[in-house]
Amino acid sequence: MPAYDDSNIFARILRGEIPNDTVLETEHTLVFRDIRPQAPVHVLVIPKGAYVSYDDFAAHASEAEIVDFHRAIAKVTRELGVALEGGLGFRAITNAGPDGVQEVPHFHMHILGGRPMGRMVQPG
Ligand code: DGP
């Protein structure tokens, strides 16, 4: 696991050094709109803790952080109208490392919706 780089853009957002369009904030989790939206709904769900990737978070975060993260996804998908309770669904994507084409090395889950999302993975 690469060491967590404190200078990444999401760490700076969490420190309040860079503005963001927050949709939801909980004790351990922040949800904000992606700066380059690829769908009518495109938000990023991030833990406030310093985790590089999903596997880092899943292995090392506390149970409270893990539950809070997933409950935040449940809440925000409902609030944005894309949850299956009242909506047409969404896609959750997380990229990890070079093969996953992860740009920002702070774990984040993309939530995309508001239109049919097409094929899951383009042929390489
Ligand atoms: P990934 O490839 O999974 O690491 O995606 C990183 C996403 O982060 C990408 O969709 C664009 C978004 N992003 C990068 N910089 C910023 C920023 O400064 N603010 C916000 N809101 N999103 C950003």
Side-chain angles (χ1 to χ4, degrees), residues 9-10 13 18-21 32-38 42 44 93-97 100-106 108-110 112:
I9 200 90
F10 295 168
I13 284 175
I18 294 178
N20 74 92
D21 188 356
F32 54 97
R33 294 193 190 276
D34 194 291
I35 207 167
R36 297 194 303 266
Q38 295 178 48
H42 187 174
L44 301 169
I93 300 173
T94 185
N95 301 314
V101 194
Q102 180 180 7
E103 174 190 333
V104 180
H106 179 112
H108 51 283
M109 188 75 74
H110 297 256
L112 299 128

Side-chain angles (χ1 to χ4, degrees), residues 4-13 15 18 104-106:
Y4 182 81
D5 174 5
D6 229 13
S7 68
N8 79 75
I9 200 90
F10 295 168
R12 298 186 65 200
I13 284 175
R15 288 197 295 269
I18 294 178
V104 180
H106 179 112

Side-chain angles (χ1 to χ4, degrees), residues 24-37:
L24 175 70
E25 181 168 8
T26 66
E27 184 179 0
H28 297 295
T29 308
L30 184 69
V31 186
F32 54 97
R33 294 193 190 276
D34 194 291
I35 207 167
R36 297 194 303 266

